[in-house]
Amino acid sequence: METNVKTTPLMQEKGETNRGRLLVKCPDRPGIVAAISKFLSDFQANIIESSQYSSDPEGGTFFIRIEFDCPSLEEKKAALEADFQALAQEFTMDYQFTYTEDRKRTAIFVSKEPHCLLELLWEWQSGDLPTDIALVISNHEEARGMVESLGIPFCYIPANKDIRKQVEQEQIALLKEHQIDLIVLARYMQILTPDFVSEFPNQIINIHHSFLPAFIGARPYERAYGRGVKLIGATSHYVTNDLDEGPIIEQDIERVNHRDHVADLKKIGRSIERRVLARAVKWHLEDRVIVHENKTIVFQ
């Protein structure tokens, strides 16, 4: 069972200085919502958006995302989080508090193809990606002009399989120096090592140019053309050490037919990739994604 309560336009227009979010995952049982609501009420917090889901009301897992407005939230943060620990222990909760005033810092990785990067930059410029883009890292120079024209640092780090460990050490140092919260692989055509991935669990979002689990790995459009597919798609997912098998955040498709050759599939696919990656990144930034095993619960 799933319920969803949306904010009104008036709520969205209000300032977000006192806006917080709470994500919870725990064994399902009666009383969870009531207990959380009372807890927030005791801090004079007003719930403005709430979405919940249970995998099974009898013995399943319960998930909830709550967005709330709380007067003087900055002064109450420490007490809010400290006091919640008792409730979390009672219900065996895995939980996270976040605050909209604490904007996440993002690094974008890109290779030669700029379409996904451009979409993210446009969404960021228009105010639809609530993040600070701290830097763009690339193993090619093609994107430098478009990035630096926006005042975003561009770091060119040549990369290939022979120097991968050295390159990743340099990248990790940069990411830590810039206090990065999220890494977006916007068609970054290098495989990350387990050491790199383990540094940033559920903090790396990739766009794969196929509708997974079909056509995992390289050259998916060529293989799709060879199979004569009638649908092509794209998949945005968290990166794990299993290639293209991390928890899926978002997917989309377009119809194609026998007249579409590989170049046509790639052109159609670029449009799908752009919107799928942008949506996944936005949902992550808005704390709408809860990872459970190798799946995601996405409260849109």
Side-chain angles (χ1 to χ4, degrees):
M1 182 180 73
E2 182 168 357
T3 63
N4 192 30
V5 181
K6 291 292 186 182
T7 58
T8 67
L10 179 60
M11 290 175 179
Q12 292 172 336
E13 290 171 3
K14 292 179 65 176
E16 296 187 347
T17 303
N18 292 319
R19 187 70 54 84
R21 299 171 184 143
L22 172 62
L23 299 180
V24 171
K25 174 173 65 174
C26 64
D28 200 0
R29 53 178 272 198
I32 300 171
V33 175
I36 294 174
S37 299
K38 183 181 184 305
F39 174 86
L40 292 173
S41 177
D42 289 344
F43 278 85
Q44 292 80 49
N46 180 32
I47 295 174
I48 57 175
E49 182 176 338
S50 179
S51 302
Q52 66 191 60
Y53 167 74
S54 175
S55 64
D56 187 339
E58 297 183 8
T61 302
F62 179 79
F63 307 85
I64 190 167
R65 175 191 184 272
I66 292 177
E67 191 159 337
F68 59 90
D69 189 88
C70 182
S72 305
L73 181 57
E74 183 64 33
E75 301 168 13
K76 296 178 180 178
K77 281 181 185 178
L80 187 77
E81 296 185 21
D83 290 359
F84 193 79
Q85 292 178 15
L87 188 65
Q89 186 174 5
E90 178 184 352
F91 287 92
T92 320
M93 292 177 176
D94 181 3
Y95 70 97
Q96 178 187 21
F97 279 98
T98 63
Y99 308 96
T100 56
E101 197 171 38
D102 300 333
R103 288 167 66 89
K104 294 180 176 63
R105 293 175 57 79
T106 298
I108 303 175
F109 283 47
V110 66
S111 289
K112 286 186 175 182
E113 296 188 66
H115 55 284
C116 287
L117 169 64
L118 286 169
E119 184 73 16
L120 294 172
L121 293 176
W122 168 250
E123 292 282 323
W124 172 73
Q125 283 182 286
S126 65
D128 290 328
L129 283 186
T131 187
D132 295 328
I133 300 179
L135 74 162
V136 173
I137 296 175
S138 180
N139 57 331
H140 295 278
E141 287 277 12
E142 276 81 349
R144 179 182 292 277
M146 64 186 75
V147 172
E148 292 184 339
S149 68
L150 297 174
I152 300 170
F154 181 88
C155 302
Y156 169 58
I157 305 177
N160 60 59
K161 63 182 180 180
D162 297 325
I163 57 171
R164 187 163 290 154
K165 185 173 182 179
Q166 170 190 336
V167 167
E168 289 189 345
Q169 287 174 344
E170 185 176 352
Q171 291 170 340
I172 290 171
L174 268 174
L175 296 170
K176 291 186 175 180
E177 176 188 342
H178 287 270
Q179 298 179 307
I180 295 301
D181 301 298
L182 174 65
I183 300 163
V184 181
L185 306 183
R187 293 303 302 272
Y188 181 66
M189 307 308 287
Q190 295 287 315
I191 296 175
L192 304 178
T193 68
D195 289 341
F196 188 100
V197 173
S198 66
E199 289 277 350
F200 307 98
N202 297 329
Q203 292 175 276
I204 309 172
I205 295 178
N206 182 48
I207 183 68
H208 182 70
H209 40 312
S210 80
F211 192 79
L212 295 176
F215 307 119
I216 289 173
R219 300 175 63 82
Y221 290 123
E222 287 81 356
R223 287 184 287 143
Y225 177 74
R227 287 286 290 118
V229 302
K230 302 301 184 266
L231 293 170
I232 62 167
T235 303
S236 190
H237 62 94
Y238 289 112
V239 174
T240 65
N241 289 323
D242 296 319
L243 181 64
D244 295 331
E245 293 191 8
I248 291 172
I249 306 170
E250 173 64 338
Q251 296 180 290
D252 206 347
I253 56 169
E254 293 282 356
R255 293 200 66 84
V256 296
N257 61 42
H258 57 276
R259 294 183 177 87
D260 294 311
H261 292 273
V262 173
D264 302 309
L265 299 185
K266 289 182 177 180
K267 183 177 180 180
I268 297 167
R270 282 193 289 269
S271 178
I272 311 172
E273 294 162 26
R274 287 163 48 193
R275 63 180 184 257
V276 167
L277 181 60
R279 286 199 293 256
V281 170
K282 182 178 182 180
W283 293 337
H284 177 94
L285 293 171
E286 293 178 347
D287 303 305
R288 296 186 179 276
V289 185
I290 299 177
V291 176
H292 178 58
E293 298 173 347
N294 200 45
K295 297 182 181 180
T296 61
I297 307 300
V298 182
F299 293 118
Q300 302 176 22

